[in-house]
Amino acid sequence: MPNSTEALTSSDFEVRTRKPRILFFDIETAPLRIYAWKTWQTDAIKVEKDWYMLSWSARWKDGKQVTKCLADYEGYEPTSEDDSQLVTELWQLFEKADIIVGHNLDRFDIRKTNTRAILNGLKPTSPFKTVDTLKVAKRHFAFTSNRLDSLGESLGLGRKVKTGGFELWESCMKGIPSAWAKMKRYNAKDVTLLIKVYDKLLPWIGNHPNITVITDQEYGCRNCGSKALTKRGFSFGPTGKRQQYKCSDCGSWMSGKHIKTADIR
């Protein structure tokens, strides 16, 4: 703010807008090592080794993608299960995020990351909103499969990297360098495909976190923040109506403020 001798200008009262910090991410984890009486859909008798994080890939919207695995950190040795540095670096990204996007995010990736965070002595990050593309697909469509790979194929957006099965995870746990390289490619492609699926589903996400609130915009598309809105008729309720708008960029629909109508009785 100017000092007491400076005149105030209109710019001193402008709301400073910023881009929303939207983080796309995906993790890969090691399996549990258990004892069991059967090999199919059975409860574990004993857990010999707990799961841990193998890798993650993340990208800020309109930013660069970063992919990390256990083998990327100083002090790593083959068969190491210490994911503290891996989890901490991902946790630092969470701290900066307004919105986090993932596929099966709420049931798997967030809860798994939270678990490794607390086990590694980390405190909660600042609050953020989430968008789970799996939930969006289930809510609005009837795809034959809602798996990310299947959605990518159905929507013409591409496919996941083929891993060759569990052998890749097993080789990573043994510390084989070529396996780590392939795991990172697989993990990174998942995020690349996730972003494409999110962009395709975006206009269907009626409960998307409101971008204009996050960025302090006076008006704009609640889903993408664009100001390219066009009036497209009205929506009607029992006591009035609302102006409808369509975003020319992402294709989302939204309604304006309530307009009261005369009460005729």
Side-chain angles (χ1 to χ4, degrees):
M1 290 295 290
N3 61 43
S4 58
T5 63
E6 293 178 328
L8 294 174
T9 66
S10 59
S11 63
D12 294 316
F13 298 97
E14 291 178 356
V15 175
R16 298 293 190 262
T17 61
R18 63 171 176 83
K19 289 185 177 181
R21 295 182 291 259
I22 303 177
L23 183 70
F24 300 85
F25 97 106
D26 177 73
I27 65 171
E28 299 300 330
T29 64
L32 292 168
R33 285 183 244 177
I34 66 171
Y35 290 96
W37 293 116
K38 298 179 181 179
T39 59
W40 178 248
Q41 294 182 341
T42 186
D43 292 332
I45 300 169
K46 178 182 177 181
V47 176
E48 183 179 76
K49 286 285 186 178
D50 206 351
W51 65 273
Y52 54 95
M53 192 179 295
L54 292 174
S55 68
W56 56 259
S57 186
R59 177 179 166 185
W60 293 107
K61 187 171 179 62
D62 302 322
K64 294 182 179 180
Q65 188 164 338
V66 177
T67 306
K68 292 293 185 74
C69 71
L70 288 181
D72 291 330
Y73 295 90
E74 186 177 354
Y76 169 79
E77 295 181 358
T79 72
S80 172
E81 300 177 4
D82 180 4
D83 61 6
S84 58
Q85 295 181 83
L86 182 68
V87 174
T88 298
E89 188 169 353
L90 178 58
W91 207 238
Q92 290 168 350
L93 297 180
F94 279 23
E95 178 64 42
K96 300 174 183 177
D98 296 312
I99 302 169
I100 296 180
V101 182
H103 196 74
N104 198 21
L105 176 76
D106 293 333
R107 287 190 61 186
F108 185 82
D109 298 83
I110 288 290
R111 293 169 64 182
K112 287 285 189 177
T113 304
N114 288 346
T115 301
R116 295 310 304 168
I118 195 170
L119 290 176
N120 280 298
L122 299 175
K123 302 296 184 183
T125 66
S126 57
F128 51 79
K129 302 294 185 181
T130 64
V131 175
D132 189 332
T133 51
L134 176 61
K135 288 183 176 179
V136 177
K138 287 183 174 181
R139 180 176 183 180
H140 294 286
F141 308 99
F143 291 108
T144 301
S145 171
N146 292 311
R147 297 172 67 89
L148 182 62
D149 185 49
S150 298
L151 290 177
E153 182 180 25
S154 297
L155 296 170
L157 303 174
R159 302 287 302 274
K160 292 161 64 83
V161 170
K162 294 188 181 299
T163 63
F166 178 68
E167 182 181 349
L168 177 61
W169 276 257
E170 191 173 30
S171 297
C172 285
M173 290 185 289
K174 292 178 180 178
I176 299 173
S178 60
W180 281 121
K182 186 173 183 179
M183 179 65 78
K184 290 176 70 173
R185 289 196 301 272
Y186 170 74
N187 203 173
K189 183 57 185 287
D190 275 9
V191 173
T192 300
L193 186 56
L194 166 68
I195 294 171
K196 293 179 180 179
V197 169
Y198 167 83
D199 287 341
K200 191 76 171 181
L201 299 181
L202 184 59
W204 298 85
I205 309 176
N207 61 345
H208 193 284
N210 194 329
I211 297 297
T212 62
V213 172
I214 294 171
T215 58
D216 290 323
Q217 291 177 228
E218 185 177 349
Y219 74 94
C221 174
R222 60 169 294 131
N223 281 16
C224 74
S226 170
K227 293 185 178 181
L229 303 180
T230 57
K231 293 182 179 180
R232 298 289 291 270
F234 296 90
S235 60
F236 299 92
T239 61
K241 62 183 181 181
R242 297 176 186 270
Q243 176 69 61
Q244 287 191 144
Y245 299 89
K246 186 175 183 180
C247 177
S248 299
D249 286 332
C250 75
S252 298
W253 286 81
M254 64 219 71
S255 298
K257 293 182 179 179
H258 184 262
I259 305 170
K260 292 184 178 179
T261 57
D263 186 6
I264 303 174
R265 284 183 287 186

